[in-house]
Amino acid sequence: MQSYSHLLRQSLATDFAKLPPLTFPDEITLQSLWFNGQIGREFTTTDNHSVHIRQFGFWNRSAGPTSFSASVEIDGHLHSGPLEIDTHACVWETHGHATNPSFNEVILHVVFADTAHTSFTRAEDHRSIPKVVIPTSTYMMRSSSPATQPQQPT
């Protein structure tokens, strides 16, 4: 019988093999840039809604969404709650966020690289969660750490 971690690595390897050969800073550096406001406050979702970040939230250093108590305006409507920051859009699915109750209240999914295949950002109740893809030029210019190949999630 194979261990869960072996099966997970095998599954993730398939998804990450499809990712474009993009190099960028590690996830902690990207989150740092986000929470310091260095990436900006004005974005557009993948389905063309305007997003204004009023409060980046508080960095969660344990299990669950990346940030708590964020405040975001989407097309002028204020939303408050946690947000998730991932390196790639497909990580939402590969990490099982869609079936994890800890992610049910997420108000925004921020990613730094989209994937070629369609990935859905949905809560456990199938509510669609707005997704923002940060343009590469925005964070590559601001990062002072060396660019590296994204690590496969563990």
Side-chain angles (χ1 to χ4, degrees), residues 82-133:
L83 60 81
E84 177 65 1
I85 300 173
D86 287 315
T87 54
H88 295 85
C90 67
V91 171
W92 184 271
E93 294 172 3
T94 58
H95 279 185
H97 298 335
T99 57
N100 184 337
S102 299
F103 291 81
N104 284 346
E105 303 302 317
V106 168
I107 58 172
L108 187 66
H109 187 208
V110 178
V111 300
F112 292 87
D114 212 351
T115 49
H117 76 283
T118 302
S119 63
F120 298 98
T121 303
R122 297 196 182 276
E124 194 175 32
D125 65 357
H126 304 290
R127 174 182 61 89
S128 181
I129 297 169
K131 179 173 55 179
V132 167
V133 179

Side-chain angles (χ1 to χ4, degrees), residues 2-3 5 13 21 27-28 34 40 45 47 50 56 74 90 97 102 124-125 138 140 143 146-147 151-152:
Q2 294 180 344
S3 70
S5 61
E27 189 167 352
I28 294 294
W34 173 264
T45 65
D47 55 352
S50 67
F56 293 100
I74 300 175
C90 67
H97 298 335
S102 299
E124 194 175 32
D125 65 357
T138 303
M140 289 302 285
S143 171
Q151 298 290 316
Q152 289 187 6

Side-chain angles (χ1 to χ4, degrees), residues 13-125:
T14 303
D15 286 339
F16 276 86
K18 298 174 189 172
L19 295 176
L22 176 67
T23 59
F24 54 87
D26 60 64
E27 189 167 352
I28 294 294
T29 301
L30 294 171
Q31 290 175 358
S32 227
L33 291 169
W34 173 264
F35 284 109
N36 285 314
Q38 294 176 311
I39 293 178
R41 291 182 177 269
E42 304 292 330
F43 304 102
T44 303
T45 65
T46 54
D47 55 352
N48 211 29
H49 295 281
S50 67
V51 175
H52 172 74
I53 308 298
R54 295 182 70 179
Q55 166 53 263
F56 293 100
F58 300 99
W59 202 344
N60 176 19
R61 304 293 286 194
S62 59
T66 308
S67 161
F68 293 110
S69 303
S71 182
V72 175
E73 283 183 31
I74 300 175
D75 287 340
H77 295 97
L78 185 62
H79 302 269
S80 296
L83 60 81
E84 177 65 1
I85 300 173
D86 287 315
T87 54
H88 295 85
C90 67
V91 171
W92 184 271
E93 294 172 3
T94 58
H95 279 185
H97 298 335
T99 57
N100 184 337
S102 299
F103 291 81
N104 284 346
E105 303 302 317
V106 168
I107 58 172
L108 187 66
H109 187 208
V110 178
V111 300
F112 292 87
D114 212 351
T115 49
H117 76 283
T118 302
S119 63
F120 298 98
T121 303
R122 297 196 182 276
E124 194 175 32
D125 65 357

